Amino acid sequence: CAMGFLQLLLDAWVGSTSFAMARRAGIISPPSLEKVSHDYLRRVLRRYFEIGESSADHLEGARRGLDTLVARARRLPTEKAINLSYPNPHAVLQLARSKAEDLMRRLGRTRR
């Protein structure tokens, strides 16, 4: 029962996010919630679509961050660059670790 409910929540989240991404790509039009007669149902649907929009914002932000990381990696000297066609897992992990350590150092400085 609990697994089924979790699956339902996951499917609803993926559905609302997919709707937001398709709407942003111009594949489908925005929802017409004014046609829903019950105010409570209209608020629930509006919140459902807002969750999808928020998730789509996060996905697009992650994509932009990854694009920036790839662009920076391509500008590195050859011996330091990550081969993006067949990435070296060790180099990727080292890069991720250094970025995480740098972020933690910066966060540590701002909290003090």
Side-chain angles (χ1 to χ4, degrees), residues 13-89:
W13 173 66
V14 169
S16 67
T17 304
S18 299
F19 183 86
M21 298 295 278
R23 187 195 56 74
R24 291 175 184 198
I27 298 171
I28 56 178
S29 60
S32 300
L33 296 179
E34 64 274 356
K35 294 180 181 179
V36 177
S37 59
H38 299 287
D39 188 46
Y40 177 76
L41 183 57
R42 187 176 25 254
R43 286 191 312 245
V44 169
L45 288 171
R46 185 172 290 119
R47 181 67 184 135
Y48 172 75
F49 289 120
E50 286 172 1
I51 290 170
E53 291 293 330
S54 175
S55 296
D57 289 340
H58 286 40
L59 287 172
E60 287 179 351
R63 184 189 48 81
R64 283 191 300 271
L66 186 58
D67 289 346
T68 302
L69 181 65
V70 168
R72 286 181 185 164
R74 287 188 173 149
R75 288 192 302 260
L76 288 174
T78 307
E79 65 274 0
K80 291 185 179 180
I82 299 171
N83 182 353
L84 297 174
S85 61
Y86 187 72
N88 177 351

Side-chain angles (χ1 to χ4, degrees), residues 87-107:
N88 177 351
H90 183 67
V92 171
L93 290 175
Q94 280 183 326
L95 180 62
R97 181 179 179 185
S98 69
K99 294 288 184 185
E101 288 172 348
D102 183 50
L103 179 63
M104 293 304 287
R105 275 194 299 276
R106 282 190 273 152
L107 286 174

